[in-house]
Amino acid sequence: MLSPIGGRKGQGCENMDDVLKYLDADRDQCQRDLCELLAIPSVAADSKYHPDVRRAASWVAGQFQSLGLKTEQIETIGQPLIYAESPAVAGAPTVLVYGHYDVQPADPLNEWISPPFEPTIRAGNIYARGATDDKGQMLTHVLSARGWLKSRGELPLQIKFLIEGEEEVGSKGLYDFLKQPGASEKLKADIVVISDTSQFGPGQPAITYGLRGIAYFEIRLSGPKQDLHSGTFGGAVTNPLNALNSLLHSLRDADGRVQVPGFYDDVLPLTTREREQFAALPFSDAAFQEQLGVEGLFGETDFTTLERRWARPTYDVHGLWGGYQGEGGKTVLPAKSGAKFSFRLVPNQDPQKIAASLEKFLKERLPPGITMELIYMSGAPGCVVPLDSPYVAAAEKAIEGGFGRRPVFIREGGSIPIVTNFKQQLGIDTLLLGWGLDDDNTHSPNEKFCLADFHRGIRASARLWQELASIKK
Amino acid sequence: MLSPIGGRKGQGCENMDDVLKYLDADRDQCQRDLCELLAIPSVAADSKYHPDVRRAASWVAGQFQSLGLKTEQIETIGQPLIYAESPAVAGAPTVLVYGHYDVQPADPLNEWISPPFEPTIRAGNIYARGATDDKGQMLTHVLSARGWLKSRGELPLQIKFLIEGEEEVGSKGLYDFLKQPGASEKLKADIVVISDTSQFGPGQPAITYGLRGIAYFEIRLSGPKQDLHSGTFGGAVTNPLNALNSLLHSLRDADGRVQVPGFYDDVLPLTTREREQFAALPFSDAAFQEQLGVEGLFGETDFTTLERRWARPTYDVHGLWGGYQGEGGKTVLPAKSGAKFSFRLVPNQDPQKIAASLEKFLKERLPPGITMELIYMSGAPGCVVPLDSPYVAAAEKAIEGGFGRRPVFIREGGSIPIVTNFKQQLGIDTLLLGWGLDDDNTHSPNEKFCLADFHRGIRASARLWQELASIKK
């Protein structure tokens, strides 16, 4: 597994047995608190639950207040942000902890074994909507701070908590707040900590040090001014559906390489060391194929499946339309066609630059009689956290302490826009410390969180404050 | 323009002023009848309209019954056939009139200026789905027969009407009926007459002597067993939408040549004479582009636009689906995708042979992790009618009488599979006498039929019975 290069050198940690002992004694209360929060149906997507979303916000604010932290409920254009901070500690870094108290809708309800907002323990897991995403994971950091404050009376470094209520619906309120004057100053910190991802596998904790970005487009083609009969007109004019197939096909070659000029120019290549470390992870193509129900995998040649998922850019079509989709046959040569597609980007690729090159590439290939509208719907660059930072080394040590096993260093193929946003707006890197598991059913019925991991997460978090505090500024 | 070789020599026609006078007086009633039939949404492709399809069948049967013709509603494996016949006339030929009472789907509804099933007259045209294809054109023969029967009490020759309700969905019921014992005897005739094509241009009637065939397919692709997140899984597996684009693109090269092996092997080439005659027709690429609202035409190199439309095979996609088509973006890697497409065929190409070659071609190109279902939905070979027959000469004279101008001899890019079938199953050639216009928007929103041509068609049809009757058997 990956080991950070350089980093903090053998600086002994202060003894923190008192904190850990408190956390041992606090286990039942921690679970009761978790159950209380999970019982609030704070579904941000559905306005009928908005009073519950506010109730969850108040519950979180109440926790911080009871710890004596300076706490604010920040109203936004959407749901409120809960902000709390402990006092600055001279010579120690400041950490910004981000999380969210809103949850995904619980549908389809009939597939839940126990009701989504009645937390239920079965076989060592707690089942409820939001158990892992993100109430349970987020709470580990609140409860570890409680451990410190109740046992020591103080934290070893300044923690700023920023807990939002719209992560599952696009974080509009938070993004708007980040643009307000004073936001950067308020949130100023040396490192961000987020627990909203997964371990590599059961018993194998992980630090996610890279995310892919995205550039998302919609293409609309127009041909003849109206639908035509393909018998009378077929062979005379370009069919917008045929044109769509050809244009979308032209974006990639048979080996899965994107053909947009300059697409790979800025790609930050995987280091030999990263490739070796990925290869050492316990991952089987055969098991993965079976999980997906496919008889073969596909992607850029010369890269392994994990490399392609985590650290190589891709091109995927997300939706196609045009012509007749109903029952039976219709011999139409349609006037219009369209598609949605995106490129997943890797660190250092610039979505704007790719959008411009893409538009030129497609325009040059437009067949006769076809006009195109290309809409750049959204974009975010990928990011990697430098592995040779003392923060990464601190997190590695804290997790080893909390979970009894050294974490592996992995990447994630999706995008977490807030991570990019913290980097761009505040200039701060993020530690993604995931306590969840891939089979936790986030966004699905029967979401769960392993209670042992909940408590290990709290202990890792408590150690993290200690480890980070020992990084001298 | 092409002139038929040989044919009937200057045999004077009996005076038929009484019939034509009756038709003059019957004009308004003819239009009311047309509106009644057009108001029935007899969309065979959509099962929710099937009660209306039956209603249209009954309406047609009612017309024949009111004329005192021996009328039958023949139940089939699909929609009913309406059959009616007048008594045999000794020494005169028998003509089989074929038409269809079903129509194409009306989608997209929002592009219709007046509702598709509320016939509306604007600027001398009647607008409704089926106005020209084929309710309006088919009715001209029913109404011309009414003219003869109401004014004379009899027809000058035996007419057998066969009006079906599944032309737009492949005529399965009719084809099955044609294979039944007794069908050939019942439909025995010397010539078939069909009006389901177009004039060459406004005021320039035409006899269509060649049709393209068709081979129509639906392709369904399956990839992962469920929709996946394109961030977590993109780059690892084949996306069924990407696969669809590539497969559909692979069917044609950049010059518009179909790539299915053997596709062009059996193509009956145009004669030098045909190419010269097509070139002599008043047709302008620039005007055609303007008519369609496109800035350029496209098709196989080395062929003129008319040649490509009438006598060259093509490949067109008719509908695409898969993934997310709603507002905004969704980063889905969908489990399935699909499309409908067809090849237009020219005389001598065999759709079955092409279907087999296509399936092999696509199977060889299936990317890893994708399974395919290829459905051969319908097919018919193209055909050409001999120009040197007395029936063609009779039609030429009748049209000149009805429209005031000699028809030109053209081909049509669409398919009328039944024409091939009548030739193959019954051994009878077909006269394709089109009263429509190229801009009638068949299969598109705002389908129309010029009312003057509707009445000219009725008169040409009335004359046709007289002209054909004078061909001594």
Side-chain angles (χ1 to χ4, degrees), chain A residues 102-318:
Chain A
D102 64 310
V103 299
Q104 277 278 317
D107 320 75
L109 287 176
N110 62 339
E111 293 183 21
W112 285 79
I113 293 164
S114 51
F117 299 107
E118 294 178 20
T120 305
I121 296 169
R122 290 193 297 276
N125 295 307
I126 186 156
Y127 286 84
R129 170 58 83 227
T132 190
D133 177 16
D134 178 44
K135 288 173 172 174
Q137 295 205 61
M138 176 269 284
L139 267 191
T140 61
H141 300 301
V142 181
L143 298 172
S144 71
R146 179 162 81 191
W148 275 90
L149 290 164
K150 296 286 184 183
S151 57
R152 285 274 174 100
E154 61 179 17
L155 283 157
L157 79 178
Q158 182 177 39
I159 305 182
K160 296 177 172 181
F161 288 96
L162 180 68
I163 314 297
E164 70 148 317
E166 292 177 296
E167 197 270 349
E168 302 292 3
V169 292
S171 302
K172 288 221 169 64
L174 173 55
Y175 290 138
D176 185 64
F177 168 73
L178 288 176
K179 286 185 221 138
Q180 304 301 319
S184 296
E185 187 52 34
K186 181 188 279 284
L187 302 180
K188 200 176 168 191
D190 298 286
I191 191 76
V192 176
V193 167
I194 302 179
S195 292
D196 196 12
T197 49
S198 288
Q199 302 177 64
F200 184 71
Q204 180 53 72
I207 295 177
T208 302
Y209 73 97
L211 295 170
R212 291 197 288 195
I214 192 168
Y216 197 112
F217 300 90
E218 182 169 320
I219 184 173
R220 297 175 187 172
L221 300 183
S222 297
K225 64 185 173 187
Q226 62 190 11
D227 287 2
L228 301 174
H229 187 298
S230 74
T232 313
F233 296 97
V237 289
T238 306
N239 175 330
L241 288 177
N242 291 47
L244 187 75
N245 289 142
S246 295
L247 286 172
L248 293 179
H249 168 82
S250 73
L251 291 172
R252 213 180 56 174
D253 71 8
D255 294 329
R257 295 268 302 179
V258 174
Q259 301 297 294
V260 176
F263 186 80
Y264 294 96
D265 286 0
D266 301 327
V267 163
L268 192 71
L270 280 162
T271 64
T272 307
R273 186 128 189 279
E274 282 179 296
R275 301 187 74 170
E276 286 167 5
Q277 303 282 7
F278 287 180
L281 288 168
F283 180 86
S284 142
D285 272 1
F288 183 65
Q289 273 179 224
E290 200 181 322
Q291 177 196 338
L292 302 187
V294 293
E295 291 192 0
L297 302 176
F298 175 76
E300 264 186 305
T301 46
D302 303 328
F303 293 94
T304 67
T305 303
L306 282 185
E307 287 168 355
R308 298 198 312 268
R309 290 171 66 193
W310 290 350
R312 293 298 302 173
T314 66
Y315 157 59
D316 270 302
V317 180
H318 304 300

Side-chain angles (χ1 to χ4, degrees), chain B residues 309-380:
Chain B
R309 292 171 65 194
W310 290 350
R312 294 297 302 172
T314 66
Y315 157 59
D316 271 301
V317 181
H318 304 301
L320 287 177
W321 59 90
Y324 181 70
Q325 286 105 27
E327 206 185 316
K330 185 177 179 189
T331 50
V332 62
L333 194 166
K336 291 174 190 302
S337 66
K340 293 176 199 277
F341 64 94
S342 76
F343 302 103
R344 290 283 165 180
L345 307 180
V346 296
N348 216 34
Q349 282 183 297
D350 176 355
Q352 296 279 1
K353 199 168 147 187
I354 282 163
S357 183
L358 170 72
E359 181 148 27
K360 185 164 177 286
F361 179 87
L362 291 173
K363 272 188 176 159
E364 286 168 1
R365 279 157 185 78
L366 273 191
I370 295 289
T371 56
M372 174 182 79
E373 187 186 358
L374 183 69
I375 301 157
Y376 175 40
M377 292 179 70
S378 61

Side-chain angles (χ1 to χ4, degrees), chain B residues 160-399:
Chain B
K160 296 176 172 180
F161 287 97
L162 179 68
I163 314 297
E164 69 147 319
E166 293 177 296
E167 197 271 348
E168 302 292 4
V169 291
S171 304
K172 288 221 171 64
L174 173 55
Y175 292 140
D176 185 64
F177 167 73
L178 289 177
K179 285 185 225 140
Q180 304 301 319
S184 295
E185 187 52 35
K186 183 189 276 284
L187 301 179
K188 199 173 170 194
D190 298 286
I191 190 77
V192 177
V193 167
I194 302 178
S195 291
D196 196 13
T197 51
S198 288
Q199 303 176 66
F200 183 70
Q204 180 54 71
I207 292 175
T208 302
Y209 75 97
L211 294 169
R212 290 199 288 196
I214 192 168
Y216 197 111
F217 301 90
E218 183 168 320
I219 184 173
R220 298 175 186 171
L221 300 183
S222 297
K225 64 185 174 188
Q226 61 192 15
D227 287 2
L228 301 174
H229 188 297
S230 74
T232 312
F233 297 96
V237 288
T238 305
N239 175 329
L241 288 177
N242 291 45
L244 186 74
N245 285 318
S246 295
L247 286 173
L248 293 179
H249 168 81
S250 73
L251 291 173
R252 213 180 55 174
D253 72 7
D255 296 327
R257 295 268 302 181
V258 174
Q259 300 296 294
V260 176
F263 186 80
Y264 293 96
D265 286 1
D266 301 326
V267 164
L268 190 72
L270 280 162
T271 64
T272 307
R273 183 132 189 276
E274 282 178 298
R275 298 188 78 167
E276 285 168 3
Q277 302 283 7
F278 288 178
L281 288 168
F283 180 85
S284 142
D285 272 1
F288 182 65
Q289 273 180 225
E290 202 182 320
Q291 176 198 338
L292 302 188
V294 293
E295 290 192 0
L297 302 176
F298 175 75
E300 263 185 305
T301 46
D302 303 330
F303 292 95
T304 67
T305 303
L306 282 185
E307 287 167 356
R308 297 199 313 269
R309 292 171 65 194
W310 290 350
R312 294 297 302 172
T314 66
Y315 157 59
D316 271 301
V317 181
H318 304 301
L320 287 177
W321 59 90
Y324 181 70
Q325 286 105 27
E327 206 185 316
K330 185 177 179 189
T331 50
V332 62
L333 194 166
K336 291 174 190 302
S337 66
K340 293 176 199 277
F341 64 94
S342 76
F343 302 103
R344 290 283 165 180
L345 307 180
V346 296
N348 216 34
Q349 282 183 297
D350 176 355
Q352 296 279 1
K353 199 168 147 187
I354 282 163
S357 183
L358 170 72
E359 181 148 27
K360 185 164 177 286
F361 179 87
L362 291 173
K363 272 188 176 159
E364 286 168 1
R365 279 157 185 78
L366 273 191
I370 295 289
T371 56
M372 174 182 79
E373 187 186 358
L374 183 69
I375 301 157
Y376 175 40
M377 292 179 70
S378 61
C383 67
V384 276
V385 179
L387 289 172
D388 58 351
S389 91
Y391 303 105
V392 170
E396 191 180 9
K397 197 161 178 204
I399 291 172

Side-chain angles (χ1 to χ4, degrees), chain A residues 256-465:
Chain A
R257 295 268 302 179
V258 174
Q259 301 297 294
V260 176
F263 186 80
Y264 294 96
D265 286 0
D266 301 327
V267 163
L268 192 71
L270 280 162
T271 64
T272 307
R273 186 128 189 279
E274 282 179 296
R275 301 187 74 170
E276 286 167 5
Q277 303 282 7
F278 287 180
L281 288 168
F283 180 86
S284 142
D285 272 1
F288 183 65
Q289 273 179 224
E290 200 181 322
Q291 177 196 338
L292 302 187
V294 293
E295 291 192 0
L297 302 176
F298 175 76
E300 264 186 305
T301 46
D302 303 328
F303 293 94
T304 67
T305 303
L306 282 185
E307 287 168 355
R308 298 198 312 268
R309 290 171 66 193
W310 290 350
R312 293 298 302 173
T314 66
Y315 157 59
D316 270 302
V317 180
H318 304 300
L320 286 177
W321 59 89
Y324 182 70
Q325 286 106 27
E327 204 184 320
K330 187 179 175 186
T331 50
V332 63
L333 194 166
K336 291 173 190 304
S337 66
K340 292 176 199 279
F341 62 95
S342 76
F343 302 102
R344 290 281 165 181
L345 306 179
V346 296
N348 216 34
Q349 283 183 296
D350 177 354
Q352 297 279 0
K353 199 168 146 187
I354 283 163
S357 182
L358 170 72
E359 180 149 27
K360 186 164 174 285
F361 178 87
L362 291 173
K363 273 188 177 160
E364 287 166 1
R365 278 158 186 78
L366 274 190
I370 296 288
T371 57
M372 174 183 78
E373 187 187 359
L374 183 70
I375 301 157
Y376 176 40
M377 292 179 70
S378 62
C383 64
V384 274
V385 180
L387 287 174
D388 58 350
S389 94
Y391 303 107
V392 170
E396 189 182 12
K397 198 161 177 204
I399 291 173
E400 188 176 1
F403 282 77
R405 185 154 176 190
R406 282 170 74 93
V408 289
F409 290 81
I410 63 174
R411 291 198 190 191
E412 153 65 35
S415 310
I416 307 183
I418 193 64
V419 173
T420 314
N421 221 289
F422 285 143
K423 181 71 182 173
Q424 290 178 330
Q425 304 265 323
L426 310 178
I428 323 177
D429 283 325
T430 294
L431 294 173
L432 289 166
L433 313 177
W435 318 140
L437 288 173
D438 265 354
D439 67 351
D440 275 346
N441 302 325
T442 55
H443 297 209
S444 301
N446 304 309
E447 181 176 344
K448 68 170 175 65
F449 189 22
C450 168
L451 281 170
D453 287 331
F454 174 61
H455 293 294
R456 289 184 193 119
I458 295 169
R459 294 173 81 86
S461 174
R463 288 177 182 273
L464 182 64
W465 311 144

